[in-house]
Amino acid sequence: MKMQGRTPYAAVLAVLALVIALVAGCSGTPGSSESAAPTTEAAPVAAVTYTPAAGATDVSPTAPISVSVANGTFEAVSLTTADGRAVAGTLDPAKTTFTVTEPLGYDAVYTWAGTAVGSDGKPVPVEGTLGTVAPQSITSVSTNIGDGQEVGVAAPIILKFDDAIVDKKAVEKALTVTTNPPTAGSWAWLPDDGGSRVHWRPQNYWAPGTTVDVSAKLYGVNYGGGAYGDSDVTVNFTIGRSQVVIADATSHRMQVVRDGQTVMDIPVSYGEGNEDRNVTRSGIHVVTEKYEDFLMSNPPYYENVRERWATRISNNGEFIHANPLTTGVQGSSNVTNGCINLSTEDAQTYFQMAVYGDPVEVTGTRIDLSAADGDIYDWAIDWPTWQSMSALTAA
């Protein structure tokens, strides 16, 4: 009996079939778990925006500074100084915008910090820096009127800078004068006097009782030439009663008119006028200073002469003051070196009535008040010309 078995050919076929099956089992079909690509996690949806942009430099310390988030809210947010102090700011009720509310310093670096959380629940860091401008110099300013002061109806507002201002337009844009009742007026830049100076005066005398608020937002202002403003300045003052001196040199008399009523009409002596140096200047002067005792000099004619009850009306040496030596000719002749001489009694009475800013209207002489006569000759300039001296009007 013969035994049956596989032929060699059949055995080979069986082995091949097994190999093919194994290979097929190792290579997955499309869509199988073995062929799927690795998944990438979705990016956070919260988007943080900085104003100015993070990393900004040469930023004005008074520029608008904020950070906001879209598609999310702030969980924490701050801007800090180099020593870690948090800068004052406010977060809006929706917690989407943080706004800085205090001026920054010059030449400083500030750092943003905090976290925003998106609507997808994922955090986004608040981070970055900003640097402020580094001035080459910082310029300060002084005012002629003190806070709460009561002044006369001709008082100008004077801002005197301790250096020359290159960009007068930028400075003037930062200045605001608010009056009650509303009063027409204008700024004007006068020639530099150890530094730039800008004056504001009304078109006509102030109305008595007017309240005046001056705001000079000068901190952070670029003055040009590498200079920046030192600080903001505010002044609030009031216009007092109307008191005007009428001083006609040809009459040899002087009247004081208060609120429309003549309260003094006295004999005086004005400048002799034979030389330019002793001509009392015609024009609207302004009372600026008062001295019960004052040493006056006019070399080579006299020096350190003690005068009483001296009220300064210009910076060229003109005063209204007592002079017993000219009492005999007061009311009949002009013999002074340019001042207005009164008797001791009349000078004391007027002295006690005068306040800063009172106008003294001199007429009847051959030389007019001008820039050569000192710092306040504002009323000698006609109104259209005065307006043209504004940097904004000129521009």
Side-chain angles (χ1 to χ4, degrees):
M1 180 174 73
K2 292 183 180 179
M3 296 182 61
Q4 293 182 344
R6 294 183 180 179
T7 64
Y9 176 74
V12 171
L13 288 177
V15 171
L16 288 175
L18 178 61
V19 171
I20 291 171
L22 290 173
V23 172
C26 292
S27 58
T29 59
S32 68
S33 60
E34 291 82 352
S35 64
T39 57
T40 302
E41 186 177 358
V45 298
V48 177
T49 302
Y50 303 88
T51 303
T57 58
D58 291 331
V59 176
S60 167
T62 57
I65 296 171
S66 64
V67 60
S68 60
V69 60
N71 303 317
T73 58
F74 286 116
E75 187 174 80
V77 60
S78 66
L79 182 68
T80 58
T81 62
D83 59 4
R85 181 185 68 84
V87 175
T90 57
L91 183 63
D92 70 339
K95 296 185 177 181
T96 58
T97 301
F98 176 83
T99 304
V100 171
T101 57
E102 70 169 283
L104 303 184
Y106 287 121
D107 193 17
V109 176
Y110 296 82
T111 302
W112 287 111
T115 304
V117 177
S119 56
D120 57 358
K122 297 177 181 178
V124 172
V126 178
E127 57 189 357
T129 62
L130 67 87
T132 55
V133 67
Q136 294 180 21
S137 62
I138 297 176
T139 301
S140 61
V141 65
S142 59
T143 64
N144 64 318
I145 300 175
D147 209 37
Q149 188 174 347
E150 186 173 276
V151 300
V153 297
I157 302 165
I158 301 175
L159 298 182
K160 176 66 165 45
F161 297 87
D162 63 5
D163 207 345
I165 301 300
V166 176
D167 192 347
K168 293 180 172 64
K169 184 176 179 179
V171 170
E172 197 172 328
K173 283 182 176 180
L175 308 179
T176 304
V177 177
T178 305
T179 66
N180 185 23
T183 304
S186 175
W187 292 104
W189 291 86
L190 278 65
D192 287 6
D193 181 17
S196 293
R197 52 183 175 149
V198 61
H199 293 205
W200 193 99
R201 56 155 266 223
Q203 181 176 3
N204 303 300
Y205 290 158
W206 297 101
T210 299
T211 58
V212 185
D213 299 326
V214 182
S215 175
K217 298 291 187 181
L218 296 172
Y219 178 71
V221 175
N222 185 348
Y223 290 174
Y228 282 76
D230 173 67
S231 59
D232 292 343
V233 175
T234 59
V235 179
N236 305 302
F237 63 94
T238 305
I239 307 303
R241 81 288 178 270
S242 171
Q243 179 168 292
V244 181
V245 170
I246 306 299
D248 179 10
T250 62
S251 72
H252 314 300
R253 299 190 70 82
M254 185 185 94
Q255 290 82 37
V256 179
V257 180
R258 176 179 287 188
D259 296 326
Q261 301 296 316
T262 300
V263 295
M264 292 186 75
D265 188 345
I266 54 177
V268 301
S269 181
Y270 296 90
E272 184 176 4
N274 61 321
E275 299 180 42
D276 289 354
R277 68 170 183 83
N278 61 23
V279 174
T280 306
R281 282 10 184 191
S282 286
I284 299 174
H285 299 61
V286 177
V287 170
T288 55
E289 297 176 309
K290 300 196 303 181
Y291 303 91
E292 291 188 18
D293 287 277
F294 192 75
L295 294 177
M296 294 189 182
S297 298
N298 188 6
Y301 308 99
Y302 59 89
E303 192 165 355
N304 292 329
V305 176
R306 179 174 179 260
E307 303 291 3
R308 296 275 291 157
W309 310 113
T311 301
R312 183 188 291 276
I313 61 173
S314 81
N315 265 1
N316 68 355
E318 291 174 305
F319 286 81
I320 299 172
H321 67 90
N323 190 345
L325 298 178
T326 64
T327 301
V329 297
Q330 290 171 14
S332 61
S333 182
N334 293 329
V335 298
T336 81
N337 281 280
C339 292
I340 303 175
N341 284 182
L342 286 64
S343 69
T344 300
E345 181 181 357
D346 287 341
Q348 181 178 0
T349 299
Y350 172 70
F351 179 95
Q352 294 170 339
M353 296 168 58
V355 301
Y356 183 93
D358 283 344
V360 177
E361 300 177 352
V362 178
T363 58
T365 69
R366 61 183 178 83
I367 299 178
D368 290 335
L369 186 72
S370 70
D373 297 302
D375 56 351
I376 301 181
Y377 57 97
D378 302 21
W379 296 96
I381 303 171
D382 66 83
W383 184 242
T385 301
W386 182 266
Q387 289 179 299
S388 72
M389 295 164 64
S390 159
L392 299 181
T393 301

